[in-house]
Amino acid sequence: MSAEPRDTPGRTEDVEDIEDIEVRDPVSAPDVDGVPRRATRRFPLFTRDTARPEGAGRAAPGDALAARQWPIIAVLGVVALGLLVTAFDQFRIGTVLIGVALLGGAVLRWLLPGVGMLAVRSRFTDIATYGVLGAAIVLLALMAQPDPWLEIPFLKDTLHFTVDS
């Protein structure tokens, strides 16, 4: 039976029309219109077509997709600015900008209900990942030699203890 639209919308199917439906795989069943649909959320054993990107449908409806992506664009813009500043021989300022961009991504993920493609995993995992990586990059940039902007005394003692024998 073909899946073409009927001339009379809303008509009830006859018993013989329903019996003519060919179900192609064990996880599909006919819907109200008689078209075979998947009855479960399990994926079929073999893929026969290309699936749409996962983030596209959840990020925004079709016409507003670009407008809902401003959080990831803002984070990537600050990261790009940090890389540009680093390329112009301002290593410390550029890497601090990169870390601040990740910390900003964590804050955006925490405060906003919809962040588009900035949401990769669960909210907690995204906040923890962006926060830890951003803080680590900022701290390493501030402690980088020569002339560090931040000195943590016990780290120097720990290093000397491990190097001295």
Side-chain angles (χ1 to χ4, degrees), residues 140-157:
L140 289 173
L142 293 177
M143 294 187 302
Q145 296 290 332
D147 301 322
W149 291 356
L150 176 66
E151 291 187 22
I152 301 176
F154 71 87
L155 288 179
K156 187 174 183 179
D157 296 335

Side-chain angles (χ1 to χ4, degrees), residues 58-122:
R58 283 181 262 168
D63 59 343
L65 185 59
R68 291 282 303 272
Q69 300 305 325
W70 71 266
I72 189 72
I73 292 171
V75 170
L76 290 177
V78 176
V79 168
L81 180 65
L83 290 173
L84 185 68
V85 169
T86 303
F88 285 119
D89 207 24
Q90 295 295 320
F91 169 77
R92 196 177 317 270
I93 296 171
T95 51
V96 166
L97 272 174
I98 293 170
V100 167
L102 287 174
L103 290 172
V107 170
L108 288 174
R109 184 71 170 107
W110 182 31
L111 295 177
L112 300 177
V115 290
M117 293 175 69
L118 187 63
V120 179
R121 296 159 295 269
S122 70

